[in-house]
């Protein structure tokens, strides 16, 4: 048993992308709140080590380009939006929404200069940027709300002193629900891979029969207590929690900072309800969602200020965490700052021992 445990731990330490401050997964990442960029405005944004400008053209679409003009390197955020393009302040070169130079005032025909453009999307009141050429997946969403029109509110932003992957696994750390949050209920997760870049972990247990609290809330649940986490690109996660008649949805959108730290944005989401009464009801639901999020966050804040993550001794209760690491390792990794593809030479975390086998003997 000890030898198998050692092998599993060793193979976890061989991971190439998980908790690596120089790599992240190609995907959608939050950039800036939609409300911060009005039509005709341009803002500088540094995303995953790369300097960008994001502007909103007259058609209302958010456009993301590399920040520096290829002529002499002036920052395009100093320029101005014209139509659906942007004109550099320094020498007035103009670029369209695809980054192609379309006008140089001193020349009849522009040069074939180009600024790198990046796909953008807007969802839950946020502008997202795809860190590759062509989006392979939809914008992150809560699985239960995939086909629903939603309302969202942007709650607090935060910085954590550890990697986004480490912050993310907190939501599926089964042991900490009892030790930190005093939940009188054993949590056992079941995974479901939605696609190459998205995976969910859902609670499968009832339990808690000896707890007065659980007995009181039991009538609110036909089956197990609803708690699930859906991960996108290893860095964005949506929590679904609440009684059968009203689920709350909280999205934690994270991105990697220099040195392996985390910058995050909390998004509160609910299904859109029509009419004046629906509008007021949604305000109440979003406020309750914020309270739920604050409850789960308050106990863990101090840990992420001081943690130095080192997963040396996995246990049976860590099964979901190991599965998450495997999921991260299988995805396409790109380099922080350059956004260039890095060779995925690592094998899955299971190279030396399958977590399933390890967990059967611990």
């Amino acid at each position: 048993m000890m030898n198998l445990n050692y092998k599993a731990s060793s193979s976890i330490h061989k991971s190439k992308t998980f908790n690596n401050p120089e790599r992240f997964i190609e995907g959608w990442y939050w950039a800036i709140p939609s409300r911060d960029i009005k039509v005709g405005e341009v803002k500088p944004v540094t995303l995953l080590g790369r300097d960008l400008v994001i502007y909103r053209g007259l058609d209302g679409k958010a456009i993301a380009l590399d920040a520096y003009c290829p002529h002499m390197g002036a920052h395009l955020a100093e320029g101005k939006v014209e139509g659906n393009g942007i004109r550099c302040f320094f020498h007035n070169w103009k670029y369209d929404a695809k980054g192609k130079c379309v006008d140089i005032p001193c020349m009849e025909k522009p040069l074939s200069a180009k600024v790198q453009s990046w796909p953008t999307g807007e969802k839950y009141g946020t502008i997202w940027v795809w860190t590759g050429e062509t989006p392979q997946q939809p914008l992150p969403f809560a699985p239960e709300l995939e086909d629903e029109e939603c309302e969202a509110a942007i709650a607090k932003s935060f910085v954590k002193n550890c990697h986004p992957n480490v912050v993310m696994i907190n939501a599926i750390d089964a042991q900490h629900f009892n030790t930190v949050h005093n939940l009188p209920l054993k949590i056992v997760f079941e995974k479901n891979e939605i696609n190459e870049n998205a995976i969910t972990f859902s609670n499968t247990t009832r339990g808690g029969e000896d707890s007065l609290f659980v007995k009181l809330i039991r009538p609110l649940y036909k089956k197990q207590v609803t708690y699930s986490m859906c991960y996108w690109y290893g860095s964005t996660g949506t929590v679904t929690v609440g009684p059968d008649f009203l689920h709350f949805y909280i999205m934690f959108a994270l991105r990697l900072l220099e040195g392996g730290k985390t910058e995050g944005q909390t998004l509160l989401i609910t299904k859109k309800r029509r009419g004046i009464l629906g509008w007021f009801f949604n305000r109440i639901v979003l406020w309750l969602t914020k309270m739920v999020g604050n409850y789960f966050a308050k106990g863990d804040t101090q840990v992420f200020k001081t943690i130095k993550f080192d997963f040396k001794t996995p246990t049976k209760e860590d099964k979901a965490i190991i599965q998450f690491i495997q999921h991260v390792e299988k995805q396409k990794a790109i380099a922080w700052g350059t956004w260039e593809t890095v060779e995925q030479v690592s094998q899955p975390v299971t190279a030396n021992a399958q977590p399933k086998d390890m967990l059967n003997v611990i």
Side-chain angles (χ1 to χ4, degrees):
M1 178 184 70
M2 290 183 62
N3 184 50
L4 188 56
N5 194 14
Y6 168 78
K7 288 181 179 179
S9 177
S10 176
S11 96
I12 287 170
H13 280 274
K14 292 179 181 178
S15 58
K16 298 296 184 180
T17 302
F18 178 83
N19 195 32
N20 186 336
E22 299 299 327
R23 296 184 181 185
F24 62 96
I25 296 167
E26 180 185 78
W28 289 107
Y29 291 86
W30 74 277
I32 192 170
S34 295
R35 67 192 180 201
D36 287 359
I37 302 184
K38 298 178 176 59
V39 171
E41 288 188 339
V42 56
K43 296 288 179 68
V45 174
T46 298
L47 180 64
L48 297 158
R50 195 177 187 102
D51 292 330
L52 308 177
V53 291
I54 298 180
Y55 69 90
R56 197 180 294 282
L58 291 183
D59 62 1
K61 179 177 171 56
I63 304 298
L65 303 176
D66 276 352
Y68 301 102
C69 177
H71 180 212
M72 288 192 181
H75 201 297
L76 292 175
E78 302 293 340
K80 62 180 180 179
V81 178
E82 286 189 4
N84 295 320
I86 188 168
R87 191 176 289 277
C88 178
F89 169 79
F90 202 15
H91 297 101
N92 291 167
W93 289 27
K94 183 179 178 180
Y95 302 90
D96 65 14
K98 297 296 184 181
K100 179 182 178 182
C101 184
V102 293
D103 182 53
I104 298 176
C106 64
M107 301 181 67
E108 292 185 5
K109 183 179 180 181
L111 300 175
S112 59
K114 194 176 189 301
V115 182
Q116 178 66 52
S117 63
W118 302 98
T120 61
E122 294 194 61
K123 195 178 186 72
Y124 304 140
T126 301
I127 296 174
W128 304 75
V129 174
W130 176 267
T131 57
E133 291 186 7
T134 304
Q136 302 299 310
Q137 305 291 355
L139 290 162
F141 58 81
E144 291 184 357
L145 301 177
E146 180 178 5
D147 299 318
E148 300 285 352
E149 186 177 358
C150 297
E151 285 196 50
I154 297 177
K156 64 179 181 180
S157 58
F158 53 87
V159 174
K160 302 294 185 182
N161 195 34
C162 59
H163 194 281
N165 293 159
V166 176
V167 179
M168 285 284 96
I169 63 172
N170 183 65
I172 53 172
D173 182 349
Q175 298 176 76
H176 102 286
F177 287 104
N178 308 120
T179 59
V180 175
H181 301 294
N182 300 313
L183 186 69
L185 176 70
K186 183 176 181 179
I187 300 291
V188 177
F189 289 108
E190 180 179 76
K191 75 166 183 174
N192 176 39
E193 290 192 311
I194 298 176
N195 57 49
E196 179 184 354
N197 299 116
I199 188 171
T200 62
F201 292 90
S202 302
N203 174 47
T204 62
T205 58
R206 288 177 64 86
E209 286 77 8
D210 297 331
S211 166
L212 176 61
F213 170 73
V214 173
K215 288 180 180 179
L216 290 174
I217 68 171
R218 183 68 71 200
L220 303 178
Y221 299 89
K222 290 182 178 180
K223 297 181 180 180
Q224 66 272 10
V225 173
T226 298
Y227 177 85
S228 68
M229 185 74 175
C230 179
Y231 293 104
W232 293 84
Y233 317 107
S235 294
T236 294
T238 302
V239 177
T240 300
V241 64
D244 292 344
F245 65 88
L246 182 63
H247 285 175
F248 302 105
Y249 309 96
I250 309 165
M251 179 175 284
F252 299 99
L254 312 183
R255 60 193 188 195
L256 181 64
L257 293 176
E258 187 173 11
K261 296 184 179 182
T262 296
E263 183 177 14
Q265 181 71 67
T266 305
L267 306 176
L268 315 174
I269 308 165
T270 190
K271 176 182 175 181
K272 188 171 185 178
R273 298 166 179 87
R274 304 296 177 181
I276 296 177
L277 290 179
W279 185 90
F280 278 107
F281 184 73
N282 277 359
R283 304 285 82 69
I284 295 172
V285 172
L286 290 172
W287 179 82
L288 289 173
T289 305
K290 182 179 180 180
M291 296 301 103
V292 172
N294 288 344
Y295 170 77
F296 281 106
K298 66 180 180 180
D300 305 323
T301 300
Q302 187 60 36
V303 172
F304 294 124
K305 291 181 180 178
T306 57
I307 191 171
K308 290 187 178 180
F309 185 81
D310 193 3
F311 196 20
K312 291 180 179 179
T313 51
T315 68
K316 183 176 181 178
E317 284 72 21
D318 298 321
K319 179 179 178 181
I321 295 174
I322 296 170
Q323 291 172 331
F324 174 75
I325 296 173
Q326 292 175 323
H327 176 69
V328 168
E329 288 298 297
K330 291 188 296 184
Q331 298 179 66
K332 181 180 178 180
I334 53 181
W336 191 89
T338 66
W339 294 13
E340 295 178 354
T341 301
V342 295
E343 185 179 1
Q344 285 291 77
V345 296
S346 64
Q347 294 180 335
V349 180
T350 54
N352 294 325
Q354 293 283 347
K356 180 178 179 181
D357 296 334
M358 180 191 74
L359 298 174
N360 284 336
V361 298
I362 289 179

